[in-house]
Amino acid sequence: MTLTCEIRRNGGPDVLEWIETDPGDPGPGEVRIRHHAVGLNYIDVYHRTGLYPLPLPSGIGLEAAGEITAIGDGVSDLAVGDRVAYASAPLGAYAEERLMPADRVVPLPDTVDARSAAALMLKGLTAHFLLFRTFAVQPGQRVLVHAAAGGVGYLLCRWATHLGATVIGTAGSRDKAAIAREAGCAEVIQYRDGNVATQVRRAAGKRGVDVVYDGVGAATFQDSLDSLAPLGMMVSFGNASGAVPAFEPSELARRGSLFFTRPSLLDYTRERSDLLAGASALFEALSAGTLSARIDQEYPLKQAARAHRALEARKTTGASLLIPG
Ligand code: NDP
């Protein structure tokens, strides 16, 4: 039997329930994985609260790393004992052991330990597709990253700086601003100092930035549009402060023929070849020291509710892990 988290209704962190289940034997095309570390992501909050509706009851969690304990028929490229990680549906990563489709699982190189993998897979694959595919950042471009000391934000800043961009970050506190600077930001704006767009233009030059990576959502949306140079791209990839409200397409024209996109990791890794290419770029960046797994919070798996409270209260920086007992 294995400990698994289930949600039967949407709500606060208290709706995370722990049950003992038998993960069972893997069916065709599946593997069973014993988790060594589970990644906490803001999307887990959206699933819990119902912002992203799920059929209930449901498991929760999309990211973990561990070891294969059984393989199903037809799985030829993975074996029992292999060290693997994933950042994918089906939900259910908050568990000691679980079944996963083998084609969603990535083998880990010897150089990447389970904790780093669980901290980096979902957030790092996201940083990769945002910087290389959604808007391919070029040397000399100006980039605005919101929540720059957060899980995805920190990696975006490190990687974009490495690509030769000038990165401007936003952060919710002085301590977070220091982390964002360490991640490579040329300037860090604390939202509390007011008018973010004016400050961005002061830092980036009057024209504004070429791209905004905005995972904060409702609270930063207008400032993000107001910070962009003509023909710039607004990448709205999350809603930590609430969903972005509906807006008129003419808003984009009025600010200089801006582009707007709302991308999802799911679509960028739907093809296994894309998943493996993203993971390979991520592991290379880790080996080269371009990126590091910044694990600032660790909780026992069963204390996932405490981890959710901290994430929602903006008390975390970098990545948070849940560790099975
Ligand atoms: P973070 O570690 O970045 O945590 C969220 C951060 O958002 C907080 O630390 C806080 O930083 C900032 N924030 C601003 N306003 C609020 C608010 N009202 N409530 C809570 N947080 C707020 O989380 P993740 O790295 O897990 O995710 C970052 C974003 O990326 C999320 O929106 C997530 O959904 C999105 N995402 C999207 C993906 C996609 O495929 N589209 C994939 C992965 C993540 P500060 O205090 O500095 O403002």
PDB file of all heavy atoms in Angstrom, residues 41-43 46 122-123 126 129 147 150-152 171-172 176 191 215-216 237-241 262-265 311-312 314 316 318, ligand 1:
ATOM      1  N   ASN A  41       4.026  22.905  -7.604  1.00  0.00           N
ATOM      2  CA  ASN A  41       3.860  23.920  -8.656  1.00  0.00           C
ATOM      3  C   ASN A  41       2.581  24.703  -8.436  1.00  0.00           C
ATOM      4  O   ASN A  41       1.610  24.180  -7.880  1.00  0.00           O
ATOM      5  CB  ASN A  41       3.810  23.234 -10.032  1.00  0.00           C
ATOM      6  CG  ASN A  41       5.153  22.665 -10.409  1.00  0.00           C
ATOM      7  OD1 ASN A  41       6.060  23.405 -10.778  1.00  0.00           O
ATOM      8  ND2 ASN A  41       5.307  21.364 -10.266  1.00  0.00           N
ATOM      9  N   TYR A  42       2.592  25.947  -8.947  1.00  0.00           N
ATOM     10  CA  TYR A  42       1.411  26.784  -8.719  1.00  0.00           C
ATOM     11  C   TYR A  42       0.157  26.192  -9.349  1.00  0.00           C
ATOM     12  O   TYR A  42      -0.951  26.386  -8.849  1.00  0.00           O
ATOM     13  CB  TYR A  42       1.640  28.231  -9.194  1.00  0.00           C
ATOM     14  CG  TYR A  42       1.010  29.177  -8.213  1.00  0.00           C
ATOM     15  CD1 TYR A  42       1.745  29.736  -7.180  1.00  0.00           C
ATOM     16  CD2 TYR A  42      -0.362  29.431  -8.257  1.00  0.00           C
ATOM     17  CE1 TYR A  42       1.153  30.545  -6.237  1.00  0.00           C
ATOM     18  CE2 TYR A  42      -0.962  30.239  -7.314  1.00  0.00           C
ATOM     19  CZ  TYR A  42      -0.206  30.788  -6.317  1.00  0.00           C
ATOM     20  OH  TYR A  42      -0.801  31.578  -5.366  1.00  0.00           O
ATOM     21  N   ILE A  43       0.340  25.403 -10.404  1.00  0.00           N
ATOM     22  CA  ILE A  43      -0.836  24.787 -11.039  1.00  0.00           C
ATOM     23  C   ILE A  43      -1.543  23.831 -10.060  1.00  0.00           C
ATOM     24  O   ILE A  43      -2.757  23.626 -10.155  1.00  0.00           O
ATOM     25  CB  ILE A  43      -0.442  24.060 -12.354  1.00  0.00           C
ATOM     26  CG1 ILE A  43      -1.703  23.731 -13.177  1.00  0.00           C
ATOM     27  CG2 ILE A  43       0.391  22.830 -12.102  1.00  0.00           C
ATOM     28  CD1 ILE A  43      -1.420  23.249 -14.591  1.00  0.00           C
ATOM     29  N   TYR A  46      -4.182  25.830  -8.515  1.00  0.00           N
ATOM     30  CA  TYR A  46      -5.345  26.030  -9.406  1.00  0.00           C
ATOM     31  C   TYR A  46      -6.214  24.767  -9.438  1.00  0.00           C
ATOM     32  O   TYR A  46      -7.440  24.853  -9.485  1.00  0.00           O
ATOM     33  CB  TYR A  46      -4.923  26.356 -10.842  1.00  0.00           C
ATOM     34  CG  TYR A  46      -3.905  27.452 -11.027  1.00  0.00           C
ATOM     35  CD1 TYR A  46      -2.979  27.389 -12.066  1.00  0.00           C
ATOM     36  CD2 TYR A  46      -3.870  28.568 -10.197  1.00  0.00           C
ATOM     37  CE1 TYR A  46      -2.039  28.387 -12.267  1.00  0.00           C
ATOM     38  CE2 TYR A  46      -2.932  29.567 -10.391  1.00  0.00           C
ATOM     39  CZ  TYR A  46      -2.011  29.463 -11.423  1.00  0.00           C
ATOM     40  OH  TYR A  46      -1.082  30.448 -11.614  1.00  0.00           O
ATOM     41  N   LEU A 122       9.302  20.475 -14.375  1.00  0.00           N
ATOM     42  CA  LEU A 122       8.157  21.255 -14.857  1.00  0.00           C
ATOM     43  C   LEU A 122       8.547  22.727 -15.059  1.00  0.00           C
ATOM     44  O   LEU A 122       8.265  23.322 -16.106  1.00  0.00           O
ATOM     45  CB  LEU A 122       6.977  21.115 -13.900  1.00  0.00           C
ATOM     46  CG  LEU A 122       5.628  21.509 -14.505  1.00  0.00           C
ATOM     47  CD1 LEU A 122       4.498  20.639 -13.966  1.00  0.00           C
ATOM     48  CD2 LEU A 122       5.304  22.969 -14.296  1.00  0.00           C
ATOM     49  N   LYS A 123       9.232  23.282 -14.076  1.00  0.00           N
ATOM     50  CA  LYS A 123       9.586  24.702 -14.163  1.00  0.00           C
ATOM     51  C   LYS A 123      10.647  24.932 -15.248  1.00  0.00           C
ATOM     52  O   LYS A 123      10.592  25.925 -15.976  1.00  0.00           O
ATOM     53  CB  LYS A 123      10.086  25.202 -12.806  1.00  0.00           C
ATOM     54  CG  LYS A 123       9.018  25.097 -11.721  1.00  0.00           C
ATOM     55  CD  LYS A 123       9.603  25.306 -10.335  1.00  0.00           C
ATOM     56  CE  LYS A 123       8.610  24.958  -9.249  1.00  0.00           C
ATOM     57  NZ  LYS A 123       8.380  23.490  -9.113  1.00  0.00           N
ATOM     58  N   THR A 126       9.266  24.528 -18.726  1.00  0.00           N
ATOM     59  CA  THR A 126       8.474  25.731 -19.009  1.00  0.00           C
ATOM     60  C   THR A 126       9.395  26.876 -19.420  1.00  0.00           C
ATOM     61  O   THR A 126       9.173  27.538 -20.435  1.00  0.00           O
ATOM     62  CB  THR A 126       7.647  26.124 -17.765  1.00  0.00           C
ATOM     63  OG1 THR A 126       6.795  25.025 -17.444  1.00  0.00           O
ATOM     64  CG2 THR A 126       6.812  27.367 -18.013  1.00  0.00           C
ATOM     65  N   PHE A 129      10.596  26.238 -23.075  1.00  0.00           N
ATOM     66  CA  PHE A 129       9.722  26.533 -24.232  1.00  0.00           C
ATOM     67  C   PHE A 129       9.405  28.028 -24.313  1.00  0.00           C
ATOM     68  O   PHE A 129       9.273  28.578 -25.405  1.00  0.00           O
ATOM     69  CB  PHE A 129       8.456  25.651 -24.247  1.00  0.00           C
ATOM     70  CG  PHE A 129       7.286  26.118 -23.411  1.00  0.00           C
ATOM     71  CD1 PHE A 129       6.501  27.212 -23.816  1.00  0.00           C
ATOM     72  CD2 PHE A 129       6.930  25.473 -22.243  1.00  0.00           C
ATOM     73  CE1 PHE A 129       5.403  27.628 -23.075  1.00  0.00           C
ATOM     74  CE2 PHE A 129       5.840  25.898 -21.484  1.00  0.00           C
ATOM     75  CZ  PHE A 129       5.083  26.973 -21.893  1.00  0.00           C
ATOM     76  N   ALA A 147       7.574  38.026 -10.974  1.00  0.00           N
ATOM     77  CA  ALA A 147       7.862  37.035  -9.921  1.00  0.00           C
ATOM     78  C   ALA A 147       9.227  36.390 -10.192  1.00  0.00           C
ATOM     79  O   ALA A 147       9.369  35.169 -10.242  1.00  0.00           O
ATOM     80  CB  ALA A 147       6.754  35.983  -9.822  1.00  0.00           C
ATOM     81  N   GLY A 150      10.654  33.561  -8.104  1.00  0.00           N
ATOM     82  CA  GLY A 150       9.823  32.363  -7.949  1.00  0.00           C
ATOM     83  C   GLY A 150      10.407  31.168  -8.681  1.00  0.00           C
ATOM     84  O   GLY A 150      11.519  31.249  -9.232  1.00  0.00           O
ATOM     85  N   GLY A 151       9.673  30.079  -8.702  1.00  0.00           N
ATOM     86  CA  GLY A 151      10.161  28.836  -9.305  1.00  0.00           C
ATOM     87  C   GLY A 151      10.511  29.024 -10.771  1.00  0.00           C
ATOM     88  O   GLY A 151      11.675  28.911 -11.180  1.00  0.00           O
ATOM     89  N   VAL A 152       9.526  29.323 -11.602  1.00  0.00           N
ATOM     90  CA  VAL A 152       9.779  29.512 -13.032  1.00  0.00           C
ATOM     91  C   VAL A 152      10.559  30.806 -13.258  1.00  0.00           C
ATOM     92  O   VAL A 152      11.488  30.849 -14.068  1.00  0.00           O
ATOM     93  CB  VAL A 152       8.446  29.552 -13.826  1.00  0.00           C
ATOM     94  CG1 VAL A 152       8.718  29.803 -15.305  1.00  0.00           C
ATOM     95  CG2 VAL A 152       7.664  28.254 -13.648  1.00  0.00           C
ATOM     96  N   ALA A 171       9.534  41.728  -8.134  1.00  0.00           N
ATOM     97  CA  ALA A 171       9.567  40.872  -6.947  1.00  0.00           C
ATOM     98  C   ALA A 171       8.744  41.516  -5.840  1.00  0.00           C
ATOM     99  O   ALA A 171       8.585  42.742  -5.795  1.00  0.00           O
ATOM    100  CB  ALA A 171      11.004  40.680  -6.487  1.00  0.00           C
ATOM    101  N   GLY A 172       8.243  40.656  -4.938  1.00  0.00           N
ATOM    102  CA  GLY A 172       7.313  41.114  -3.913  1.00  0.00           C
ATOM    103  C   GLY A 172       7.963  41.576  -2.619  1.00  0.00           C
ATOM    104  O   GLY A 172       7.253  42.018  -1.713  1.00  0.00           O
ATOM    105  N   LYS A 176      13.372  38.971  -1.947  1.00  0.00           N
ATOM    106  CA  LYS A 176      13.143  38.367  -3.265  1.00  0.00           C
ATOM    107  C   LYS A 176      13.889  39.162  -4.342  1.00  0.00           C
ATOM    108  O   LYS A 176      14.389  38.584  -5.309  1.00  0.00           O
ATOM    109  CB  LYS A 176      11.654  38.318  -3.584  1.00  0.00           C
ATOM    110  CG  LYS A 176      10.892  37.279  -2.760  1.00  0.00           C
ATOM    111  CD  LYS A 176       9.435  37.228  -3.202  1.00  0.00           C
ATOM    112  CE  LYS A 176       8.661  36.171  -2.435  1.00  0.00           C
ATOM    113  NZ  LYS A 176       7.298  36.023  -2.955  1.00  0.00           N
ATOM    114  N   TYR A 191       6.993  45.684  -6.712  1.00  0.00           N
ATOM    115  CA  TYR A 191       5.665  46.179  -7.101  1.00  0.00           C
ATOM    116  C   TYR A 191       5.185  47.267  -6.142  1.00  0.00           C
ATOM    117  O   TYR A 191       4.498  48.193  -6.533  1.00  0.00           O
ATOM    118  CB  TYR A 191       4.587  45.093  -7.078  1.00  0.00           C
ATOM    119  CG  TYR A 191       4.934  43.735  -7.601  1.00  0.00           C
ATOM    120  CD1 TYR A 191       5.364  42.741  -6.740  1.00  0.00           C
ATOM    121  CD2 TYR A 191       4.769  43.422  -8.945  1.00  0.00           C
ATOM    122  CE1 TYR A 191       5.647  41.464  -7.210  1.00  0.00           C
ATOM    123  CE2 TYR A 191       5.051  42.151  -9.415  1.00  0.00           C
ATOM    124  CZ  TYR A 191       5.493  41.174  -8.545  1.00  0.00           C
ATOM    125  OH  TYR A 191       5.761  39.922  -9.006  1.00  0.00           O
ATOM    126  N   GLY A 215       3.617  35.380 -15.299  1.00  0.00           N
ATOM    127  CA  GLY A 215       2.927  34.267 -14.654  1.00  0.00           C
ATOM    128  C   GLY A 215       2.105  34.739 -13.467  1.00  0.00           C
ATOM    129  O   GLY A 215       1.532  33.927 -12.753  1.00  0.00           O
ATOM    130  N   VAL A 216       2.055  36.048 -13.258  1.00  0.00           N
ATOM    131  CA  VAL A 216       1.318  36.587 -12.101  1.00  0.00           C
ATOM    132  C   VAL A 216      -0.149  36.819 -12.461  1.00  0.00           C
ATOM    133  O   VAL A 216      -1.050  36.587 -11.658  1.00  0.00           O
ATOM    134  CB  VAL A 216       2.010  37.869 -11.569  1.00  0.00           C
ATOM    135  CG1 VAL A 216       1.148  38.579 -10.540  1.00  0.00           C
ATOM    136  CG2 VAL A 216       3.353  37.504 -10.943  1.00  0.00           C
ATOM    137  N   PHE A 237       1.498  33.435 -19.065  1.00  0.00           N
ATOM    138  CA  PHE A 237       1.602  31.979 -18.892  1.00  0.00           C
ATOM    139  C   PHE A 237       1.110  31.504 -17.530  1.00  0.00           C
ATOM    140  O   PHE A 237       1.261  30.328 -17.195  1.00  0.00           O
ATOM    141  CB  PHE A 237       3.039  31.495 -19.173  1.00  0.00           C
ATOM    142  CG  PHE A 237       4.055  31.897 -18.142  1.00  0.00           C
ATOM    143  CD1 PHE A 237       4.438  31.016 -17.130  1.00  0.00           C
ATOM    144  CD2 PHE A 237       4.638  33.145 -18.180  1.00  0.00           C
ATOM    145  CE1 PHE A 237       5.369  31.377 -16.175  1.00  0.00           C
ATOM    146  CE2 PHE A 237       5.576  33.527 -17.229  1.00  0.00           C
ATOM    147  CZ  PHE A 237       5.936  32.643 -16.230  1.00  0.00           C
ATOM    148  N   GLY A 238       0.481  32.380 -16.760  1.00  0.00           N
ATOM    149  CA  GLY A 238      -0.024  31.909 -15.473  1.00  0.00           C
ATOM    150  C   GLY A 238      -0.846  32.965 -14.774  1.00  0.00           C
ATOM    151  O   GLY A 238      -0.980  34.108 -15.273  1.00  0.00           O
ATOM    152  N   ASN A 239      -1.429  32.601 -13.637  1.00  0.00           N
ATOM    153  CA  ASN A 239      -2.374  33.490 -12.947  1.00  0.00           C
ATOM    154  C   ASN A 239      -2.284  33.376 -11.433  1.00  0.00           C
ATOM    155  O   ASN A 239      -3.279  33.165 -10.751  1.00  0.00           O
ATOM    156  CB  ASN A 239      -3.820  33.212 -13.387  1.00  0.00           C
ATOM    157  CG  ASN A 239      -3.960  31.993 -14.265  1.00  0.00           C
ATOM    158  OD1 ASN A 239      -4.278  32.097 -15.441  1.00  0.00           O
ATOM    159  ND2 ASN A 239      -3.701  30.834 -13.686  1.00  0.00           N
ATOM    160  N   ALA A 240      -1.061  33.506 -10.894  1.00  0.00           N
ATOM    161  CA  ALA A 240      -0.887  33.359  -9.444  1.00  0.00           C
ATOM    162  C   ALA A 240      -1.742  34.358  -8.664  1.00  0.00           C
ATOM    163  O   ALA A 240      -2.180  34.071  -7.545  1.00  0.00           O
ATOM    164  CB  ALA A 240       0.588  33.524  -9.077  1.00  0.00           C
ATOM    165  N   SER A 241      -2.011  35.539  -9.236  1.00  0.00           N
ATOM    166  CA  SER A 241      -2.815  36.547  -8.523  1.00  0.00           C
ATOM    167  C   SER A 241      -4.279  36.529  -8.971  1.00  0.00           C
ATOM    168  O   SER A 241      -5.058  37.380  -8.560  1.00  0.00           O
ATOM    169  CB  SER A 241      -2.246  37.944  -8.779  1.00  0.00           C
ATOM    170  OG  SER A 241      -2.417  38.291 -10.144  1.00  0.00           O
ATOM    171  N   ARG A 262      -1.095  32.832 -24.844  1.00  0.00           N
ATOM    172  CA  ARG A 262      -1.349  32.195 -23.543  1.00  0.00           C
ATOM    173  C   ARG A 262      -0.951  30.725 -23.681  1.00  0.00           C
ATOM    174  O   ARG A 262      -1.775  29.857 -23.959  1.00  0.00           O
ATOM    175  CB  ARG A 262      -2.839  32.348 -23.183  1.00  0.00           C
ATOM    176  CG  ARG A 262      -3.265  31.662 -21.888  1.00  0.00           C
ATOM    177  CD  ARG A 262      -2.453  32.177 -20.710  1.00  0.00           C
ATOM    178  NE  ARG A 262      -2.879  31.567 -19.448  1.00  0.00           N
ATOM    179  CZ  ARG A 262      -2.368  30.441 -18.945  1.00  0.00           C
ATOM    180  NH1 ARG A 262      -1.457  29.761 -19.609  1.00  0.00           N
ATOM    181  NH2 ARG A 262      -2.777  30.017 -17.767  1.00  0.00           N
ATOM    182  N   PRO A 263       0.368  30.444 -23.552  1.00  0.00           N
ATOM    183  CA  PRO A 263       0.878  29.102 -23.835  1.00  0.00           C
ATOM    184  C   PRO A 263       0.770  28.144 -22.647  1.00  0.00           C
ATOM    185  O   PRO A 263       0.667  28.576 -21.495  1.00  0.00           O
ATOM    186  CB  PRO A 263       2.350  29.363 -24.147  1.00  0.00           C
ATOM    187  CG  PRO A 263       2.693  30.535 -23.273  1.00  0.00           C
ATOM    188  CD  PRO A 263       1.444  31.371 -23.136  1.00  0.00           C
ATOM    189  N   SER A 264       0.809  26.857 -22.953  1.00  0.00           N
ATOM    190  CA  SER A 264       0.776  25.817 -21.912  1.00  0.00           C
ATOM    191  C   SER A 264       1.841  24.756 -22.198  1.00  0.00           C
ATOM    192  O   SER A 264       1.989  24.304 -23.343  1.00  0.00           O
ATOM    193  CB  SER A 264      -0.614  25.168 -21.902  1.00  0.00           C
ATOM    194  OG  SER A 264      -0.550  23.930 -21.252  1.00  0.00           O
ATOM    195  N   LEU A 265       2.543  24.362 -21.156  1.00  0.00           N
ATOM    196  CA  LEU A 265       3.581  23.321 -21.274  1.00  0.00           C
ATOM    197  C   LEU A 265       3.034  22.056 -21.928  1.00  0.00           C
ATOM    198  O   LEU A 265       3.715  21.395 -22.704  1.00  0.00           O
ATOM    199  CB  LEU A 265       4.144  22.997 -19.876  1.00  0.00           C
ATOM    200  CG  LEU A 265       5.157  21.856 -19.794  1.00  0.00           C
ATOM    201  CD1 LEU A 265       6.430  22.167 -20.563  1.00  0.00           C
ATOM    202  CD2 LEU A 265       5.502  21.547 -18.339  1.00  0.00           C
ATOM    203  N   LEU A 311       3.079  28.765  -0.480  1.00  0.00           N
ATOM    204  CA  LEU A 311       3.145  29.199  -1.887  1.00  0.00           C
ATOM    205  C   LEU A 311       2.114  30.289  -2.161  1.00  0.00           C
ATOM    206  O   LEU A 311       2.414  31.316  -2.774  1.00  0.00           O
ATOM    207  CB  LEU A 311       2.909  27.981  -2.801  1.00  0.00           C
ATOM    208  CG  LEU A 311       3.097  28.191  -4.306  1.00  0.00           C
ATOM    209  CD1 LEU A 311       4.532  28.591  -4.643  1.00  0.00           C
ATOM    210  CD2 LEU A 311       2.756  26.906  -5.075  1.00  0.00           C
ATOM    211  N   GLU A 312       0.901  30.073  -1.676  1.00  0.00           N
ATOM    212  CA  GLU A 312      -0.175  31.046  -1.920  1.00  0.00           C
ATOM    213  C   GLU A 312       0.056  32.354  -1.163  1.00  0.00           C
ATOM    214  O   GLU A 312      -0.430  33.410  -1.566  1.00  0.00           O
ATOM    215  CB  GLU A 312      -1.520  30.463  -1.495  1.00  0.00           C
ATOM    216  CG  GLU A 312      -2.015  29.395  -2.435  1.00  0.00           C
ATOM    217  CD  GLU A 312      -3.340  28.828  -1.956  1.00  0.00           C
ATOM    218  OE1 GLU A 312      -3.312  27.926  -1.096  1.00  0.00           O
ATOM    219  OE2 GLU A 312      -4.383  29.293  -2.419  1.00  0.00           O
ATOM    220  N   ARG A 314       2.814  33.784  -0.840  1.00  0.00           N
ATOM    221  CA  ARG A 314       4.003  34.408  -1.447  1.00  0.00           C
ATOM    222  C   ARG A 314       5.204  34.325  -0.519  1.00  0.00           C
ATOM    223  O   ARG A 314       6.082  35.189  -0.559  1.00  0.00           O
ATOM    224  CB  ARG A 314       3.709  35.872  -1.823  1.00  0.00           C
ATOM    225  CG  ARG A 314       2.542  35.996  -2.750  1.00  0.00           C
ATOM    226  CD  ARG A 314       2.053  37.409  -2.918  1.00  0.00           C
ATOM    227  NE  ARG A 314       2.972  38.233  -3.700  1.00  0.00           N
ATOM    228  CZ  ARG A 314       2.644  39.435  -4.173  1.00  0.00           C
ATOM    229  NH1 ARG A 314       1.444  39.921  -3.949  1.00  0.00           N
ATOM    230  NH2 ARG A 314       3.512  40.136  -4.850  1.00  0.00           N
ATOM    231  N   THR A 316       7.318  31.726  -0.467  1.00  0.00           N
ATOM    232  CA  THR A 316       8.369  30.853  -0.995  1.00  0.00           C
ATOM    233  C   THR A 316       9.225  31.607  -2.019  1.00  0.00           C
ATOM    234  O   THR A 316       8.804  32.605  -2.590  1.00  0.00           O
ATOM    235  CB  THR A 316       7.766  29.623  -1.704  1.00  0.00           C
ATOM    236  OG1 THR A 316       7.030  30.069  -2.850  1.00  0.00           O
ATOM    237  CG2 THR A 316       6.840  28.853  -0.781  1.00  0.00           C
ATOM    238  N   GLY A 318      12.241  30.376  -5.275  1.00  0.00           N
ATOM    239  CA  GLY A 318      12.754  29.210  -5.998  1.00  0.00           C
ATOM    240  C   GLY A 318      11.746  28.079  -5.983  1.00  0.00           C
ATOM    241  O   GLY A 318      10.538  28.299  -6.046  1.00  0.00           O
TER     242      GLY A 318
HETATM  243  P1  NDP B   1       6.097  30.784  -8.059  1.00  0.00           P
HETATM  244  O1  NDP B   1       7.173  30.153  -7.273  1.00  0.00           O
HETATM  245  O2  NDP B   1       6.497  31.790  -9.097  1.00  0.00           O
HETATM  246  O3  NDP B   1       5.054  31.410  -7.056  1.00  0.00           O
HETATM  247  C1  NDP B   1       4.163  32.383  -7.470  1.00  0.00           C
HETATM  248  C2  NDP B   1       4.729  33.799  -7.263  1.00  0.00           C
HETATM  249  O4  NDP B   1       3.840  34.708  -7.892  1.00  0.00           O
HETATM  250  C3  NDP B   1       4.780  34.226  -5.800  1.00  0.00           C
HETATM  251  O5  NDP B   1       5.930  33.788  -5.117  1.00  0.00           O
HETATM  252  C4  NDP B   1       4.729  35.722  -5.931  1.00  0.00           C
HETATM  253  O6  NDP B   1       6.027  36.265  -6.106  1.00  0.00           O
HETATM  254  C5  NDP B   1       3.940  35.952  -7.246  1.00  0.00           C
HETATM  255  N1  NDP B   1       2.620  36.509  -6.945  1.00  0.00           N
HETATM  256  C6  NDP B   1       2.204  37.751  -7.282  1.00  0.00           C
HETATM  257  N2  NDP B   1       0.979  37.966  -6.845  1.00  0.00           N
HETATM  258  C7  NDP B   1       0.570  36.862  -6.195  1.00  0.00           C
HETATM  259  C8  NDP B   1      -0.626  36.524  -5.500  1.00  0.00           C
HETATM  260  N3  NDP B   1      -1.655  37.354  -5.398  1.00  0.00           N
HETATM  261  N4  NDP B   1      -0.705  35.303  -4.934  1.00  0.00           N
HETATM  262  C9  NDP B   1       0.317  34.445  -5.042  1.00  0.00           C
HETATM  263  N5  NDP B   1       1.487  34.707  -5.693  1.00  0.00           N
HETATM  264  C10 NDP B   1       1.609  35.922  -6.268  1.00  0.00           C
HETATM  265  O7  NDP B   1       5.220  29.634  -8.767  1.00  0.00           O
HETATM  266  P2  NDP B   1       5.620  28.660  -9.973  1.00  0.00           P
HETATM  267  O8  NDP B   1       7.027  28.869 -10.340  1.00  0.00           O
HETATM  268  O9  NDP B   1       5.113  27.311  -9.651  1.00  0.00           O
HETATM  269  O10 NDP B   1       4.684  29.214 -11.157  1.00  0.00           O
HETATM  270  C11 NDP B   1       4.819  30.538 -11.626  1.00  0.00           C
HETATM  271  C12 NDP B   1       3.717  30.805 -12.625  1.00  0.00           C
HETATM  272  O11 NDP B   1       3.973  30.059 -13.801  1.00  0.00           O
HETATM  273  C13 NDP B   1       2.326  30.384 -12.147  1.00  0.00           C
HETATM  274  O12 NDP B   1       1.385  31.302 -12.581  1.00  0.00           O
HETATM  275  C14 NDP B   1       2.129  29.073 -12.862  1.00  0.00           C
HETATM  276  O13 NDP B   1       0.798  28.739 -13.033  1.00  0.00           O
HETATM  277  C15 NDP B   1       2.808  29.374 -14.178  1.00  0.00           C
HETATM  278  N6  NDP B   1       3.185  28.195 -14.952  1.00  0.00           N
HETATM  279  C16 NDP B   1       2.635  28.058 -16.185  1.00  0.00           C
HETATM  280  C17 NDP B   1       2.972  27.018 -17.006  1.00  0.00           C
HETATM  281  C18 NDP B   1       2.402  26.924 -18.357  1.00  0.00           C
HETATM  282  O14 NDP B   1       2.597  25.934 -19.035  1.00  0.00           O
HETATM  283  N7  NDP B   1       1.669  27.916 -18.820  1.00  0.00           N
HETATM  284  C19 NDP B   1       3.875  25.960 -16.529  1.00  0.00           C
HETATM  285  C20 NDP B   1       4.453  26.226 -15.229  1.00  0.00           C
HETATM  286  C21 NDP B   1       4.089  27.304 -14.460  1.00  0.00           C
HETATM  287  P3  NDP B   1       6.276  37.808  -5.666  1.00  0.00           P
HETATM  288  O15 NDP B   1       5.881  37.892  -4.216  1.00  0.00           O
HETATM  289  O16 NDP B   1       7.695  38.075  -5.931  1.00  0.00           O
HETATM  290  O17 NDP B   1       5.343  38.598  -6.545  1.00  0.00           O
END
